[in-house]
Amino acid sequence: LLVGRPYGAEAERNKLLRASQLVRHIEHTGFDTLATKQYIQRYFQGEAQQGAGLCTFLQAHPSVHKLARVPLHLQLLCKLWKEDGTLQGGSLTRLYQRLADYCYRRYEEEEGRPTVTLRCGRRAQTLYTTLGMIALAGVQKGQRLIDDQTIREQVTAASEALCEAPEKLRALVLNSGFLRATEEGAGRYRHSYFLPSSFRAHFAGQAIAKRLMTKEEGEGSGEDKEMTALLQQSKDEALLVHTAGALYAYRQCTKSLPERVAGLQLLLRMLGSAPQERVAAERHLLLQLRCISECLGLGMPVEAMDQLEGCSLAALRKQLQASASLTLPQSSKWLHPKLVQALASEHKQP
């Protein structure tokens, strides 16, 4: 019996296939709606009202509900909901940041460190920045299993940029619980993957946003061709969504609304114009909708969409109406409720 993650067990699986020894292949596809509800009810035994509140929230926020299909994600969502009865308004950016903070807090508690200044602490920010560099390097190389050389290179680069001791930073990265090793030998981790695996998109999106906004603020004009090519070719919807959220949230306390919307506009511009082929064009439209939806979850007013070149409410509604197979009811299961409501209502001209 061979049990493993798909990308961790692939080599052994192929070996069994070649030897005609693979009798049956079973894939765990996650919880359906009923199983999700049953898990929540059991988790909140004796607290039925709190459990019912989480079920209602998941029904109203499909993008978060998708996460709940994975048992590990659902366990974390239940823990966060139990703490304060909120999951950050359906924003994946804030939700994943909170998940990261929870995992980091657990690590600090195991290390016997105080966690009062968790989110503001330099140690946490140093870890998140380094993980972002590692995740982005993994995305650029097409690696879900990130090799040890890549990790060493990024830790060295981060230690120089952040003025940290390389070995201490490497120990923090490998021991904090965000990266899980597949092999270990002679004290060296040969390959590692993010756990949960969706943290890879979150941290990579944060790193991309920081790189783009630093370039915008430092050099003004000038396209980041490497990141533009990466985002246009990326088939990872989660990476684009987390990048959009990170761009909008970048220095949210100090930036004005037009400046925050400009971050989203930058990403939409980098995605380029819609392809001619129908299926590719509909995927392109859905990616635009998902990126905008994430920013609405972060508090962007619906009216601010009129500042988005080519992605105003009227323009998006027109594209949906012209689509042969992508309809609002279909796409609504991926979108924030505010965007669904806005697209469904009549657009009123100012």
Side-chain angles (χ1 to χ4, degrees):
L1 175 63
L2 178 66
V3 182
R5 290 175 175 268
Y7 44 86
E10 194 65 27
E12 291 297 325
R13 180 175 177 273
N14 290 337
K15 195 185 299 181
L16 292 173
L17 278 171
R18 286 193 294 271
S20 301
Q21 293 178 331
L22 188 63
V23 178
R24 181 172 296 173
H25 177 197
I26 301 174
E27 180 182 357
H28 189 298
T29 58
F31 288 154
D32 58 15
T33 303
L34 178 59
T36 300
K37 185 176 180 180
Q38 290 173 336
Y39 183 97
I40 293 172
Q41 288 172 341
R42 289 172 184 168
Y43 188 94
F44 289 99
Q45 270 187 331
E47 302 170 289
Q49 189 172 357
Q50 200 171 14
L54 177 55
C55 289
T56 301
F57 179 90
L58 292 177
Q59 289 173 358
H61 296 85
S63 59
V64 182
H65 198 178
K66 281 172 64 179
L67 295 179
R69 290 179 56 83
V70 180
L72 177 58
H73 287 166
L74 183 55
Q75 181 191 27
L76 290 171
L77 292 175
C78 287
K79 286 179 181 293
L80 296 181
W81 186 265
K82 192 168 187 175
E83 283 185 3
D84 58 13
T86 178
L87 291 178
Q88 306 301 309
S91 161
L92 292 181
T93 304
R94 284 187 182 149
L95 176 59
Y96 268 87
Q97 189 57 66
R98 199 163 162 224
L99 286 172
D101 289 348
Y102 171 81
C103 293
Y104 179 75
R105 184 170 70 241
R106 186 174 59 183
Y107 163 68
E108 290 283 70
E109 288 170 352
E110 290 173 354
E111 292 285 300
R113 298 174 184 272
T115 58
V116 178
T117 58
L118 165 69
R119 197 59 191 97
C120 303
R122 185 172 182 272
R123 181 177 161 93
Q125 296 308 307
T126 297
L127 173 62
Y128 296 159
T129 298
T130 309
L131 289 172
M133 294 171 67
I134 293 171
L136 178 55
V139 170
Q140 290 174 308
K141 293 182 177 183
Q143 295 180 346
R144 287 194 175 272
L145 286 174
I146 304 173
D147 61 73
D148 185 69
Q149 181 62 31
T150 298
I151 293 176
R152 286 184 174 275
E153 289 171 355
Q154 297 307 314
V155 167
T156 300
S159 67
E160 294 173 357
L162 302 170
C163 300
E164 295 284 341
E167 289 309 313
K168 285 187 177 180
L169 183 55
R170 177 176 168 81
L172 175 62
V173 165
L174 293 176
N175 296 331
S176 58
F178 290 96
L179 286 173
R180 183 68 56 86
T182 57
E183 295 181 59
E184 186 178 3
R188 296 187 61 182
Y189 291 82
R190 296 175 186 170
H191 289 89
S192 300
Y193 57 89
F194 278 90
L195 187 69
S197 59
S198 49
F199 267 140
R200 175 176 174 262
H202 169 71
F203 286 117
Q206 296 284 325
I208 293 171
K210 185 174 182 179
R211 172 169 166 169
L212 294 176
M213 295 310 292
T214 302
K215 182 178 177 63
E216 283 277 309
E217 293 172 348
E219 301 176 16
S221 59
E223 180 186 2
D224 190 325
K225 294 183 179 179
E226 184 181 8
M227 287 298 101
T228 298
L230 177 69
L231 292 171
Q232 287 183 352
Q233 295 167 14
S234 175
K235 296 180 180 179
D236 189 344
E237 178 188 315
L239 175 64
L240 293 170
V241 171
H242 281 288
T243 302
L247 282 168
Y248 183 80
Y250 185 78
R251 294 182 183 172
Q252 195 164 7
C253 296
T254 58
K255 295 284 183 181
S256 65
L257 176 61
E259 288 176 305
R260 296 199 300 273
V261 175
L264 172 60
Q265 179 69 76
L266 172 65
L267 176 62
L268 295 174
R269 188 167 63 244
M270 292 173 73
L271 287 178
S273 55
Q276 293 296 317
E277 198 270 322
R278 182 182 62 80
V279 175
E282 289 180 348
R283 172 171 170 74
H284 185 271
L285 172 58
L286 186 57
L287 287 175
Q288 289 179 318
L289 290 169
R290 290 284 286 115
C291 290
I292 294 169
S293 181
E294 175 59 19
C295 295
L296 290 172
L298 283 165
M300 183 179 81
V302 173
E303 297 75 22
M305 289 177 60
D306 288 330
Q307 301 175 31
L308 299 175
E309 183 182 341
C311 290
S312 65
L313 269 174
L316 291 172
R317 191 180 292 110
K318 187 176 181 180
Q319 291 181 63
L320 274 172
Q321 290 171 348
S323 172
S325 58
L326 185 63
T327 64
L328 185 57
Q330 287 176 321
S331 56
S332 64
K333 57 188 175 183
W334 294 290
L335 306 180
H336 194 277
K338 284 200 298 187
L339 182 55
V340 175
Q341 185 178 2
L343 288 169
S345 62
E346 286 192 24
H347 183 64
K348 296 179 180 179
Q349 294 293 341

